[in-house]
Amino acid sequence: MLDPRQAAIRPGAALPSLTGMRFIAALLVFLAHMSAAGMFTDQLLNTRLDKYLGTLGAVGVSFFFVLSGFVLTWSARDSDRPGLFYRRRLAKIYPNHFVTWIAGLLLAVLAGTAVTGKEFLPGLFLVNAWFPEYLVIRGTNGAAWSLCVELVFYLTFPALLLWVKRIRPQRLWAWVGVMVLGAIAVAVIAESFLPYESLPGLKYGWWQFWFVYFLPVSRLFEFVIGILLARIVMSGRWIPVSRPVAALTLIPGYLGTVFLPGSYGLVLPLLIPLGLIVASGAHADATGRTSFLGGRTMVWLGEISFAFYMLHMVVAYHGPAAFGSGRQWDTIEATARIAGWLALTLALSWLLYRFVELPVMRRWSRPRARAASPTTPTPPATTPSPTPAPDGTPPARESLVSVRSD
């Protein structure tokens, strides 16, 4: 009997489990920032949280970058034009970004924080991650730097997809290895040729951290791995790795982020584990083996996860956590404040998704159909077109992909 892992997969099949995974990834970023807040009067607890949870953010961000390449490839249509693709992606990410950028700016002004165009304006145009200055990268919303990276992904995706489609299926895995070598080269360059500048609370040199983690072109290898893995699954070249086994590989990968020296622990240990998790989850969904991650609650949380990610640091600085203020509380009160931070972010995320992200996607993600001319004869009746997807994407393949790629 043919192993179902070796059968070609129908492109565009729904991937609800990957939607649920998105919220877990966003929650990992939240937990990483929680661990860095230093909110507890117990200094040993602060130190341990920072050491063992502080790199969870790197896991979540890398997951999003691999997922972007995978899902964009999975949902791509041969008839799509770059202009329409760019329109859909900007309609997806920029409205939430603009709202949270404005909110962060207004709250900073109300809090009496000095506001300068040098630090805040680059973020408005999604170019702040290109500047090797921490305050510029943080801008009004510390989470938004990753959108600079996503923007580079979107700009390069049409060309990258054409290139990957020309690769013979039997060579796709070899190219995954090439991408891993490329990511290794980024870390080697950073450690060997960039000056070392120590910053308080940072276990990496600043220039190494910026070059490996923030610089958009350095993260392209994760994105391309996602593209390659999507093609591997779609072409029937997937290997017999189940979701539980893929999840277990994250353990040594995460330990690598904690214990590997310098910037070698930032991205490299996670490349293969996260790729396996994304691809195995997609393969299971596409073959009818959806997990609890594809259930209604997890899918709903996944739907609002982009808004959650974009809001959690705005709430962190100006909400119950008082992030960056240096204030500390006993264990019970600090835990309650973290719970309040999480609950408030979730509530605001639903509002942002419901009243900004969703309406804009429905209205602006594709051109409106032109009204028929009065002199134009009425065409014969045909089978009704499929209903557009909730995010406003066209009703062909993309409407079948129950996952967001940001």
Side-chain angles (χ1 to χ4, degrees), residues 61-69 72 85-86 89 130 145-161 215-224 227 405-406:
V61 170
S62 286
F63 173 86
F64 284 127
F65 291 166
V66 174
L67 182 70
S68 286
L72 290 178
F85 169 76
Y86 296 145
R89 301 324 304 159
W130 293 94
W145 70 268
S146 65
L147 298 188
C148 304
V149 182
E150 292 282 355
L151 192 60
V152 171
F153 293 169
Y154 301 156
L155 290 173
T156 57
F157 176 71
L160 288 172
L161 183 60
L215 185 63
V217 293
S218 296
R219 309 305 296 262
L220 274 169
F221 297 102
E222 293 152 274
F223 182 63
V224 177
I227 296 174
S405 57
D406 312 305

Side-chain angles (χ1 to χ4, degrees), residues 103-287:
L105 181 63
L106 292 177
L107 289 169
V109 171
L110 291 174
T113 304
V115 175
T116 65
K118 176 186 176 182
E119 293 177 1
F120 294 108
L121 279 178
L124 177 63
F125 302 103
L126 295 180
V127 294
N128 47 316
W130 293 94
F131 293 82
E133 298 181 42
Y134 173 72
L135 292 179
V136 175
I137 293 172
R138 191 185 78 177
T140 66
N141 180 8
W145 70 268
S146 65
L147 298 188
C148 304
V149 182
E150 292 282 355
L151 192 60
V152 171
F153 293 169
Y154 301 156
L155 290 173
T156 57
F157 176 71
L160 288 172
L161 183 60
L162 285 175
W163 165 63
V164 171
K165 282 185 174 181
R166 293 191 178 103
I167 299 174
R168 286 187 287 179
Q170 59 268 34
R171 293 185 177 179
L172 288 168
W173 277 110
W175 277 102
V176 171
V178 171
M179 293 303 108
V180 173
L181 291 176
I184 293 174
V186 169
V188 170
I189 291 170
E191 292 293 332
S192 301
F193 299 103
L194 296 182
Y196 187 90
E197 179 183 347
S198 178
L199 291 182
L202 186 66
K203 69 175 184 178
Y204 320 99
W206 166 248
W207 286 93
Q208 287 74 24
F209 189 36
W210 169 74
F211 188 81
V212 172
Y213 196 73
F214 291 118
L215 185 63
V217 293
S218 296
R219 309 305 296 262
L220 274 169
F221 297 102
E222 293 152 274
F223 182 63
V224 177
I225 285 175
I227 296 174
L228 290 165
L229 286 172
R231 295 294 301 168
I232 285 170
V233 174
M234 293 162 66
S235 63
R237 294 279 170 172
W238 182 237
I239 56 178
V241 175
S242 65
R243 285 168 299 188
V245 171
L248 287 174
T249 66
L250 195 59
I251 296 174
Y254 180 68
L255 291 176
T257 68
V258 175
F259 295 109
L260 281 178
S263 56
Y264 292 105
L266 279 170
V267 174
L268 292 177
L270 301 167
L271 284 177
I272 296 302
L274 290 175
L276 294 177
I277 287 171
V278 169
S280 63
H283 188 276
D285 278 350
T287 53

Side-chain angles (χ1 to χ4, degrees), residues 18-27 29-30 60-61 63-65 67-68 88-101 123 126 141-151 154 298-315 345-354 356-361 391 403-406:
L18 265 60
T19 302
M21 288 182 193
R22 290 184 70 244
F23 179 72
I24 293 178
L27 189 61
V29 178
F30 174 89
V61 170
F63 173 86
F64 284 127
F65 291 166
L67 182 70
S68 286
R88 289 196 301 273
R89 301 324 304 159
L90 285 176
K92 169 66 179 178
I93 68 169
Y94 199 81
N96 280 8
H97 166 62
F98 182 74
V99 170
T100 53
W101 186 89
L126 295 180
N141 180 8
W145 70 268
S146 65
L147 298 188
C148 304
V149 182
E150 292 282 355
L151 192 60
Y154 301 156
M298 289 305 300
V299 168
W300 180 80
L301 289 170
E303 294 285 357
I304 69 168
S305 62
F306 177 47
F308 178 89
Y309 174 79
M310 293 301 295
L311 279 165
H312 81 282
M313 286 308 291
V314 176
V315 176
T345 304
L346 281 171
L348 293 175
S349 300
W350 179 82
L351 293 173
L352 184 61
Y353 172 75
R354 176 66 179 81
V356 176
E357 183 178 336
L358 206 55
V360 170
M361 284 295 295
D391 62 358
V403 66
R404 301 293 181 262
S405 57
D406 312 305

